């Protein structure tokens, strides 16, 4: 059974007040495609302004702390994200796993904290180029997933997994459709093992250099239930054609 596709933008460290008009334009345009779920994950400091600008359009964070509150300078809790107007958050993005040295156990705790508060979660996994060249992409991504997945899917939030090969992020390089199919199939099996039939409902997104020119081909791959889009989510003119491709229009 095909799941409704989710196309989520990851704005990373981009976004000032002057960009709220772009968020408005993306939200307005995406309303023409109700057959696709569309969301934008913006910097934490921008969530409240973005959510006020586009009521009803899903705005998310890019990270969350696993504690409810406490002495964690510079961090943001799940309750704070919700309070600011977010309805989802990314966890375990490779840029954080690398630069902030986030471990699988921390990513799992973050996902559990967010889901239990009612935030939906996009949990990222993916291998480095070195690992891919060693022929260990599948086992590495699955080991990472197995150790990062929440124990249960309890909570109001919905879980999605994003497969993001590190070597494809921001580089213009994209795995072949058969490479994507191989990993997404393995992720699906891992989800079924963990959650039983509930694992069928977890959307598996592909992320890494998704563009208007390659989106339709990527969305045609089995078990690709959407995309996590970085650079091409910053401008309506790039992002909406990807949403259109998810809707099966282009
Ligand atoms: P990209 O980033 O689309 O710019 O490659 C994707 C991501 O890191 O989520």
């Amino acid at each position: 059974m095909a799941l409704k596709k989710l196309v989520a933008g990851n704005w990373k460290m981009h976004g000032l007040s002057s960009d709220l008009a772009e968020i408005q334009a993306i939200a307005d345009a995406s309303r023409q495609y109700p057959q696709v779920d569309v969301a934008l994950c913006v910097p934490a400091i921008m969530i409240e302004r973005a959510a006020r600008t586009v009521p009803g359009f899903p705005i998310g964070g890019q990270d969350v702390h696993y504690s409810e509150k406490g002495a964690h300078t510079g961090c943001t809790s799940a309750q704070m994200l919700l309070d600011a107007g977010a309805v989802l958050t990314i966890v375990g993005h490779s840029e954080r796993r690398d630069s902030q040295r986030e471990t699988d156990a921390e990513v799992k705790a973050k996902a559990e904290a967010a889901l239990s508060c009612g935030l939906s979660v996009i949990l990222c996994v993916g291998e480095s180029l070195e690992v891919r060249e060693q022929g260990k992409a599948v086992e590495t991504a699955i080991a990472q997933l197995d150790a990062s997945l929440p124990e249960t899917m309890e909570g109001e939030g919905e879980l999605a997994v994003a497969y993001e090969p590190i070597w494809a992020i921001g580089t213009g390089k994209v795995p072949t459709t058969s490479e994507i199919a191989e990993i997404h199939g393995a992720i699906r099996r891992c989800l079924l093992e963990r959650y039983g039939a509930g694992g069928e409902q977890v959307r598996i997104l592909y992320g890494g250099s998704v563009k208007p020119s390659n989106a339709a081909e990527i969305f045609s791959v089995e078990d690709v239930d959407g995309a996590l889009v970085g650079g091409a989510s910053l401008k309506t003119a790039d992002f909406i054609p990807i949403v259109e491709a998810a809707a099966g229009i282009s």
Side-chain angles (χ1 to χ4, degrees):
M1 190 201 63
L3 300 173
K4 185 176 183 184
K5 287 196 170 44
L6 167 63
V7 178
N10 175 9
W11 270 32
K12 307 192 180 186
M13 202 169 74
H14 298 277
L16 299 171
S17 296
S18 51
D19 297 305
L20 289 169
E22 200 67 43
I23 292 177
Q24 176 91 64
I26 288 171
D28 288 349
S30 68
R31 287 198 176 97
Q32 295 167 46
Y33 307 98
Q35 62 273 54
V36 180
D37 286 330
V38 183
L40 284 179
C41 296
V42 299
I45 198 163
M46 212 183 177
I47 290 171
E48 183 159 4
R49 280 173 293 159
R52 282 186 199 278
T53 302
V54 288
F57 177 85
I59 294 292
Q62 301 170 0
D63 177 46
V64 65
H65 198 275
Y66 46 79
S67 297
E68 261 176 57
K69 56 177 136 177
H72 302 289
T73 304
C75 298
T76 308
S77 73
Q79 203 61 52
M80 289 170 184
L81 289 182
L82 271 175
D83 193 42
V87 295
L88 76 153
T89 186
I90 297 169
V91 298
H93 192 282
S94 59
E95 285 156 14
R96 296 197 57 85
R97 287 179 184 266
D98 283 355
S99 68
Q100 314 296 317
R101 297 196 174 75
E102 285 185 9
T103 64
D104 291 335
E106 282 166 343
V107 172
K108 176 177 179 173
K110 286 171 181 232
E112 288 178 345
L115 287 171
S116 68
C117 266
L119 285 171
S120 291
V121 165
I122 299 175
L123 191 165
C124 305
V125 296
E127 82 285 357
S128 64
L129 184 59
E130 196 186 355
V131 164
R132 162 85 36 199
E133 285 173 348
Q134 288 165 354
K136 292 184 178 161
V138 178
E139 64 182 86
T140 302
I142 296 305
Q144 215 179 38
L145 182 66
D146 194 46
S148 309
L149 275 179
E151 270 327 301
T152 68
M153 289 194 292
E154 272 166 29
E156 282 165 45
E158 193 197 315
L159 177 68
V161 171
Y163 167 56
E164 296 212 309
I166 296 168
W167 50 274
I169 295 175
T171 59
K173 292 185 194 144
V174 178
T176 64
T177 49
S178 57
E179 286 168 339
I180 296 175
E182 184 185 28
I183 303 245
H184 279 234
I187 290 174
R188 179 66 69 205
R189 287 191 291 281
C190 181
L191 291 168
L192 290 170
E193 264 173 43
R194 177 71 61 106
Y195 305 122
E200 284 285 4
Q201 302 306 317
V202 177
R203 290 186 279 203
I204 307 174
L205 315 183
Y206 168 78
S209 295
V210 177
K211 298 189 171 22
S213 57
N214 60 21
E217 191 183 14
I218 291 169
F219 291 138
S220 72
V221 177
E222 201 176 340
D223 277 317
V224 172
D225 308 308
L228 184 57
V229 184
S233 70
L234 293 170
K235 295 277 170 241
T236 316
D238 295 325
F239 193 51
I240 293 303
I242 297 172
V243 175
E244 249 171 41
I249 290 170
S250 55

